[in-house]
Amino acid sequence: MTQRSRTQRLPPRRIGILGGTFDPIHRGHVDLGRAAQSVLGLTHVFVVPTHIPPHRPQPVASSHHRFAMVALTVAGRAGWRATDVELVHDRPSYTSLTLRRFQESGFAPFELFFLIGADAFLEIGSWKDYPDILDRAHFAVVSRPGCPVTDLPSRLPDLAARMTPPVLDPAAHGTPVIFLIEAPTADVSSTAIRSRLAEGQSITGLVEPDVQQHIEQHELYTPTVPGRQEDDRSADTAAGRLHGQS
């Protein structure tokens, strides 16, 4: 058997990239990633916490805590990894730059699948490097409560020709396309979770149990006690341990 024939038999790489502030990461994020992984046969899902979000207010929790919560969420999920590819750069976290870094690591655009909720994808026209960014990876758009993917062709008519339902072999598309995935995702948001915590309400079932424990242990998103500052030293230690598992 020649080297070329052995290479041809290698399974295709299908790399999912799930980015976000994750302040905190919640069940809706997990549902989105799981749906895309199942439908598209993704070999890996890299969860990428944003350092400096360019289109929204700055995170409430530190990058250490947000990375720790992402690492706790991906632990034990086959093919899922936490990565600090954006956290290590002290600049706005533009998706186009992140995709470029994955490509510089050896991934071709048709091997990359940027995972995003339908509600967030509606704002794609305001993103840096639009529309060129759509050529740097497949976009896997998953429905969100109140925003089904079936509405996207009419709401984004300029992109309708690039949209397609999931197919059995995504690698058959040599150039990046926009996959529309209709799947149930939890009706929860990071904003709602922070509000519940600020009001002393339970968040059980909205985040992974280990994430809830981390939030409670470090008293994240709760009113600050006068004279007390957030203890990031313990978060640094936890994030360092968890980073070694990513």
Side-chain angles (χ1 to χ4, degrees):
M1 182 180 293
T2 66
Q3 180 63 40
R4 181 178 180 181
S5 62
R6 285 198 300 269
T7 301
Q8 289 174 337
R9 289 171 177 264
L10 291 174
R13 298 184 297 181
R14 300 175 185 174
I15 308 301
I17 302 171
L18 178 59
T21 307
F22 303 127
D23 193 25
I25 188 170
H26 54 67
R27 289 294 178 91
H29 297 128
V30 174
D31 289 346
L32 191 157
R34 290 175 60 185
Q37 183 179 31
S38 175
V39 171
L40 297 171
L42 303 180
T43 52
H44 290 85
V45 174
F46 287 91
V47 186
V48 186
T50 296
H51 183 203
I52 304 174
H55 296 299
R56 60 179 60 194
Q58 297 308 298
V60 175
S62 70
S63 59
H64 306 287
H65 281 304
R66 292 185 294 109
F67 183 85
M69 290 187 285
V70 166
L72 289 167
T73 298
V74 305
R77 298 188 182 280
W80 287 49
R81 300 288 187 273
T83 175
D84 61 358
V85 65
E86 291 186 356
L87 297 179
V88 297
H89 296 278
D90 190 19
R91 59 186 302 180
S93 302
Y94 292 111
T95 297
S96 59
L97 296 179
T98 300
L99 294 177
R100 183 184 302 167
R101 293 182 185 119
F102 271 86
Q103 290 168 11
E104 290 171 349
S105 298
F107 296 107
F110 65 85
E111 294 178 308
L112 300 175
F113 297 76
F114 189 78
L115 316 183
I116 184 171
D119 50 352
F121 187 73
L122 287 173
E123 305 299 323
I124 190 68
S126 66
W127 288 24
K128 180 179 174 63
D129 295 329
Y130 175 86
D132 293 342
I133 190 174
L134 296 171
D135 295 323
R136 297 186 181 178
H138 294 298
F139 274 67
V141 187
V142 183
S143 54
R144 290 291 289 146
C147 192
V149 292
T150 52
D151 288 353
L152 293 183
S154 61
R155 299 184 68 176
L156 298 172
D158 291 344
L159 299 180
R162 302 186 65 151
M163 299 178 184
T164 179
V167 294
L168 293 178
D169 184 11
H173 293 271
T175 57
V177 298
I178 303 169
F179 291 108
L180 303 183
I181 302 173
E182 189 67 44
T185 54
D187 188 4
V188 58
S189 69
S190 297
T191 301
I193 289 173
R194 295 196 301 269
S195 295
R196 291 181 67 88
L197 288 166
E199 296 169 1
Q201 300 180 32
S202 173
I203 60 169
T204 299
L206 303 181
V207 300
E208 295 296 311
D210 288 345
V211 172
Q212 181 174 351
Q213 182 180 18
H214 182 91
I215 290 172
E216 294 172 351
Q217 178 181 352
H218 297 282
E219 299 181 2
L220 303 182
Y221 313 117
T222 56
T224 302
V225 177
R228 179 184 181 278
Q229 295 182 345
E230 181 183 10
D231 182 5
D232 276 337
R233 289 173 298 175
S234 59
D236 285 339
T237 302
R241 291 198 304 268
L242 292 167
H243 181 60
Q245 301 172 2
S246 64

